């Protein structure tokens, strides 16, 4: 028995590529382009969006072409008693409460992957109260919704890591739109 029994199979085929050479060229171009991207994004340049989740203002997003390559962040505005859309995604989310108070509803995920993915969300959500200065953690693929308390106008800064998306887990489900959006 020889050490390289698969040598014939390893040497078979005639397809060729320039994958590595192209990757080196793309990396050089990325570094050149990256040097021209802004480090500071002025508030006036941050785009507003009437999203399925409600009114948001993007602070940093991949489509804004900044030097930030890993994080996405936006401000979400909730009026008196208003609620965001209900959604879930494969990445973690953090948010910081800048103004107001309210609560989050989280439908925890129970899943199994013995032979295939089996996703099940809790029937009833858990409620997490928040107020100015609080950070709130939302675990991956937890269905969640933000709700402003009555008499409160809220502003939260939502942050997530987009690397999970780039790894092929760009799973985002908008389960319910924010009222009026």
């Amino acid at each position: 028995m020889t050490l390289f029994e698969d040598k014939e199979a390893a040497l078979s085929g005639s397809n060729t590529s320039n994958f590595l050479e192209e990757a080196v060229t793309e990396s050089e171009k990325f570094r050149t382009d990256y040097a021209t991207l802004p480090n500071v994004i002025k508030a006036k340049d941050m785009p507003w969006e009437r999203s399925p989740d409600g009114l948001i203002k993007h602070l940093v997003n991949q489509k804004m072409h900044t030097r930030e390559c890993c994080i996405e962040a936006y401000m979400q505005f909730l009026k008196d008693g208003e609620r965001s859309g209900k959604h879930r995604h494969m990445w973690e989310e953090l948010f910081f409460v800048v103004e107001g108070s309210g609560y989050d509803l989280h439908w925890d995920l129970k899943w199994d992957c013995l032979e295939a993915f089996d996703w099940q969300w809790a029937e009833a959500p858990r409620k997490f109260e928040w107020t100015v200065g609080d950070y709130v953690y939302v675990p991956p693929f937890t269905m969640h919704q933000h709700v402003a308390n009555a008499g409160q106008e809220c502003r939260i800064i939502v942050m997530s890591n987009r690397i999970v998306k780039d790894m092929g887990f760009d799973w985002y489900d908008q389960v319910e739109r924010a009222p009026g959006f």
Side-chain angles (χ1 to χ4, degrees):
M1 179 155 120
T2 67
L3 184 59
F4 299 107
E5 290 181 3
D6 71 335
K7 188 173 186 176
E8 187 175 327
L11 296 173
S12 67
S14 59
N15 293 342
T16 62
S17 76
N18 291 333
F19 297 152
L20 187 55
E21 183 178 349
E22 290 170 3
V24 170
T25 301
E26 289 169 9
S27 179
E28 290 170 353
K29 182 180 180 332
F30 169 80
R31 291 191 307 269
T32 300
D33 293 346
Y34 183 80
T36 69
L37 298 175
N39 273 347
V40 176
I41 309 304
K42 299 293 186 183
K44 67 179 180 56
D45 296 326
M46 297 173 185
W48 289 92
E49 181 177 352
R50 286 186 52 81
S51 77
D53 227 31
L55 181 62
I56 63 175
K57 185 174 187 180
H58 293 279
L59 306 176
V60 65
N61 183 286
Q62 185 174 18
K63 293 183 177 183
M64 290 171 64
H65 305 291
T66 69
R67 286 193 179 205
E68 175 51 55
C69 296
C70 301
I71 304 298
E72 290 187 347
Y74 57 85
M75 282 189 284
Q76 182 155 25
F77 299 83
L78 297 169
K79 294 178 183 172
D80 179 352
E82 189 176 46
R83 69 179 186 272
S84 71
K86 187 188 307 179
H87 68 268
R88 57 187 172 226
H89 38 73
M90 290 296 287
W91 48 92
E92 299 171 302
E93 181 175 286
L94 285 172
F95 70 87
F96 180 73
V97 183
V98 179
E99 293 179 66
S101 66
Y103 59 92
D104 250 41
L105 298 176
H106 292 190
W107 288 261
D108 293 329
L109 171 66
K110 178 182 175 189
W111 67 278
D112 200 340
C113 188
L114 296 175
E115 295 182 25
F117 285 120
D118 179 20
W119 311 97
Q120 296 175 22
W121 284 268
E123 292 289 324
R126 291 193 304 154
K127 184 177 181 179
F128 297 92
E129 303 272 344
W130 44 259
T131 192
V132 173
D134 290 348
Y135 258 108
V136 179
Y137 172 73
V138 181
F141 229 30
T142 296
M143 188 163 41
H144 57 284
Q145 183 172 48
H146 317 300
V147 182
N149 284 334
Q152 295 287 307
E153 289 207 4
C154 298
R155 181 167 48 113
I156 61 176
I157 297 178
V158 180
M159 297 154 279
S160 61
N161 187 327
R162 71 173 174 241
I163 289 177
V164 173
K165 295 180 198 179
D166 293 339
M167 291 171 48
F169 296 101
D170 191 3
W171 298 358
Y172 188 103
D173 296 323
Q174 190 72 42
V175 178
E176 177 183 296
R177 295 177 74 95
F181 290 85

